[in-house]
């Protein structure tokens, strides 16, 4: 599969999962945390799908399209591993993490801290959506609601 086909498949799975869980998240109390603003496309999507919900966004720097930049009070700059720790116990309804790099060695390092961080950020019953697998005893993997292959994007529920 070409990198373009793989990217399209990943983005399709990402959108399908977010679309499926947003109505569930809308019924739940709690913040939405967006780990990795990037261009701001998924932040923009979540803002549309969850009107009125506070979305706190994390990145090292702002590189997003002007239409997709969070308000200053909802933007946290720095290394997510450090900055998001301050939100542990916040009982988030949804954590979306799109911080995979496509390099196995770098993503393996992220996998040493990201699942545990997400488990501590979420409320029981809250959702984790991620571009990289989240192996953690408190994050129950759910089958992604998409026709794309199951390893394109990952959906878990905090137990
Ligand atoms: N979902 C976004 C969108 O739809 O536009 C794309 C996110 S982009 C793939 C990943 C972003 O995460 C980059 O902007 C990068 O700077 C940020 N990022 C990755 N790892 C990070 C880390 N450990 N700490 C802070 N930011 C990080």
């Amino acid at each position: 599969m070409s990198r373009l086909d793989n990217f399209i498949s990943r983005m399709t799975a990402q959108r399908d999962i977010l679309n499926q869980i947003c109505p569930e998240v809308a019924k739940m109390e709690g913040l939405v945390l967006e780990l990795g603003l990037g261009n701001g496309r998924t932040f923009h999507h979540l803002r549309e799908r969850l009107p009125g919900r506070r979305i706190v966004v994390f990145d090292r720097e702002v590189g997003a399209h002007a239409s997709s930049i969070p308000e200053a009070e909802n933007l946290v700059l720095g290394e997510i591993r450090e900055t998001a720790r301050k939100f542990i116990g916040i009982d988030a309804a949804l954590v979306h993490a799109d911080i995979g790099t496509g390099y196995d060695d770098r993503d393996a390092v992220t996998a040493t801290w990201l699942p545990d961080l997400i488990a501590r950020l979420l409320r029981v019953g809250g959702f984790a959506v991620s571009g990289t697998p989240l192996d953690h005893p408190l994050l129950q993997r759910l089958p992604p609601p998409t026709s794309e292959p199951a390893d394109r994007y990952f959906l878990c529920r905090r137990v």
Side-chain angles (χ1 to χ4, degrees):
M1 181 183 266
S2 75
R3 287 186 56 226
L4 176 61
D5 285 334
N6 186 53
F7 177 74
I8 291 168
S9 175
R10 242 172 41 76
M11 294 301 95
T12 302
Q14 178 190 65
R15 187 198 52 199
D16 289 351
I17 293 172
L18 292 176
N19 285 352
Q20 165 93 11
I21 56 121
C22 276
E24 298 297 316
V25 172
K27 291 182 216 152
M28 242 181 249
E29 303 240 325
L31 288 183
V32 170
L33 304 183
E34 169 83 330
L35 307 185
L37 172 65
N39 188 276
R41 292 188 184 98
T42 48
F43 167 63
H44 191 272
H45 197 72
L46 288 170
R47 207 171 49 179
E48 259 190 23
R49 296 265 157 173
L50 294 166
R53 181 62 58 104
R54 185 172 177 211
I55 305 174
V56 181
V57 185
F58 299 75
D59 207 307
R60 296 189 176 104
E61 59 192 2
V62 176
H65 186 269
S67 66
S68 309
I69 298 176
E71 319 77 55
E73 64 271 24
N74 291 329
L75 180 62
V76 183
L77 296 181
E79 282 299 309
I80 288 166
R81 187 177 184 176
E82 303 306 325
T83 56
R85 285 185 64 78
K86 294 169 194 139
F87 288 74
I88 284 173
I90 200 87
D91 280 344
L94 167 64
V95 177
H96 172 225
D98 185 9
I99 61 172
T101 63
Y103 292 98
D104 289 346
D105 54 340
R106 294 183 205 173
D107 291 347
V109 174
T110 303
T112 63
W113 55 267
L114 183 64
D116 190 60
L117 176 64
I118 290 179
R120 291 164 182 255
L121 292 169
L122 281 172
R123 59 179 290 156
V124 171
F127 291 98
V129 178
S130 174
T132 52
L134 298 172
D135 294 323
H136 191 280
L138 293 178
L139 297 174
Q140 179 186 28
R141 192 161 162 189
L142 303 177
T146 175
S147 56
E148 299 303 321
D151 63 351
R152 291 294 184 272
Y153 225 75
F154 300 88
L155 172 63
C156 296
R157 192 152 206 189
R158 170 72 160 82
V159 293

